[in-house]
Amino acid sequence: MSKKDNGASLILAYLNEKNRPYSVQDVFCNLQKQHGFGKTAVVKAMELLALEGKIKEKTYGKQKIYFADQAQFKDVSEADLKAMDSQISELAAEAQSVTQSCKQLDAELKELNSSLTTEEMTSEIQELKAECSGYRTRLEKIKSATNHVTPEEKEKVYKERTVYVKEWKKRKRLASDMMNSILEGYPKSKKEFLDEVGVETDEDCKVVVPST
């Protein structure tokens, strides 16, 4: 692009290619990043192109709109327009189908990325085999042990537990009744009494009497 041209040829080619109306701001925003045009240069180039008759200019209020000279394009028949519309519809349907396929492929890719690799699966299988082997060894030791508790021994333990729990509750109730009797004539609080005689309750030891 020569200094004399000042980007006019690129802007002209752009407007002819797009063949739609643009403001100076539109052209500046669309071409500035790629070609590094300044806005002042774009304004001058578009005004020059309009002055030379290479593009058309329309004023709407305070804004000017520029577009390609339609005389340079061949007339399009009604049949051609219908054919273009049909082609656009086909391309739109194809684009939608491709987009759907891309989404499906993306989903499959995410699933594959989240799956274990062959090496990871092999390693995990080995770990599970080792774990199963350990459980089998432990099971064999349990089966071969000679100190199993018989149903009779288990029943005996449960019965003894019931007796001890009942006795616990009985003694706790007796101790509580005794303390209540003493506290009737005791000048201090129950807590002070317990501290003085050195008695620890189940609650102090955070112990709960089990149910029978």
Side-chain angles (χ1 to χ4, degrees):
M1 184 178 68
S2 67
K3 291 184 179 179
K4 185 178 179 180
D5 180 85
N6 202 28
S9 60
L10 285 172
I11 294 173
L12 176 61
Y14 178 76
L15 292 175
N16 286 337
E17 178 189 356
K18 300 302 180 182
N19 194 21
R20 52 161 292 180
Y22 285 108
S23 67
V24 169
Q25 183 65 29
D26 293 332
V27 175
F28 168 69
C29 291
N30 294 341
L31 299 181
Q32 190 272 337
K33 186 176 181 180
Q34 182 178 359
H35 299 287
F37 291 153
K39 188 170 182 180
T40 301
V42 173
V43 171
K44 290 182 178 180
M46 295 182 74
E47 289 179 347
L48 177 62
L49 289 171
L51 186 63
E52 293 176 346
K54 295 180 179 179
I55 62 174
K56 297 299 181 181
E57 174 188 287
K58 292 287 184 180
T59 302
Y60 296 94
K62 295 182 180 180
Q63 188 176 30
K64 291 183 179 181
I65 299 298
Y66 298 88
F67 52 92
D69 182 5
Q70 300 302 300
Q72 65 182 309
F73 302 115
K74 295 188 299 183
D75 292 335
V76 181
S77 65
E78 188 68 25
D80 290 336
L81 288 174
K82 289 183 179 179
M84 290 179 185
D85 287 339
S86 177
Q87 186 179 11
I88 290 172
S89 298
E90 291 176 2
L91 291 173
E94 184 180 351
Q96 185 176 2
S97 176
V98 171
T99 301
Q100 187 64 32
S101 298
C102 288
K103 288 182 179 179
Q104 184 176 353
L105 291 173
D106 283 339
E108 292 177 2
L109 180 59
K110 288 180 180 178
E111 185 177 352
L112 289 172
N113 287 335
S114 62
S115 302
L116 296 175
T117 63
T118 302
E119 292 77 9
E120 290 172 337
M121 291 181 67
T122 301
S123 176
E124 185 165 341
I125 289 171
Q126 295 301 323
E127 291 177 4
L128 290 173
K129 285 183 177 180
E131 189 175 348
C132 289
S133 177
Y135 286 138
R136 280 196 295 267
T137 301
R138 183 180 176 188
L139 181 60
E140 291 300 325
K141 287 182 179 180
I142 293 174
K143 287 181 178 180
S144 62
T146 58
N147 60 344
H148 292 302
V149 178
T150 63
E152 292 78 12
E153 291 173 326
K154 183 178 179 181
E155 182 66 23
K156 180 182 177 183
V157 170
Y158 277 120
K159 285 182 178 179
E160 290 178 351
R161 176 183 179 276
T162 301
V163 172
Y164 294 146
V165 170
K166 286 183 178 179
E167 188 65 23
W168 184 353
K169 291 182 177 180
K170 177 182 176 182
R171 295 190 181 191
K172 182 173 183 178
R173 184 172 60 255
L174 290 173
S176 179
D177 292 342
M178 187 184 303
M179 280 192 296
N180 289 334
S181 298
I182 295 172
L183 288 172
E184 289 180 0
Y186 188 71
K188 300 179 182 179
S189 66
K190 180 178 179 181
K191 184 178 184 307
E192 290 175 316
F193 170 73
L194 293 175
D195 291 339
E196 187 174 333
V197 298
V199 174
E200 291 183 344
T201 64
D202 291 341
E203 291 74 20
D204 292 334
C205 299
K206 296 181 180 180
V207 176
V208 179
V209 181
S211 59
T212 54

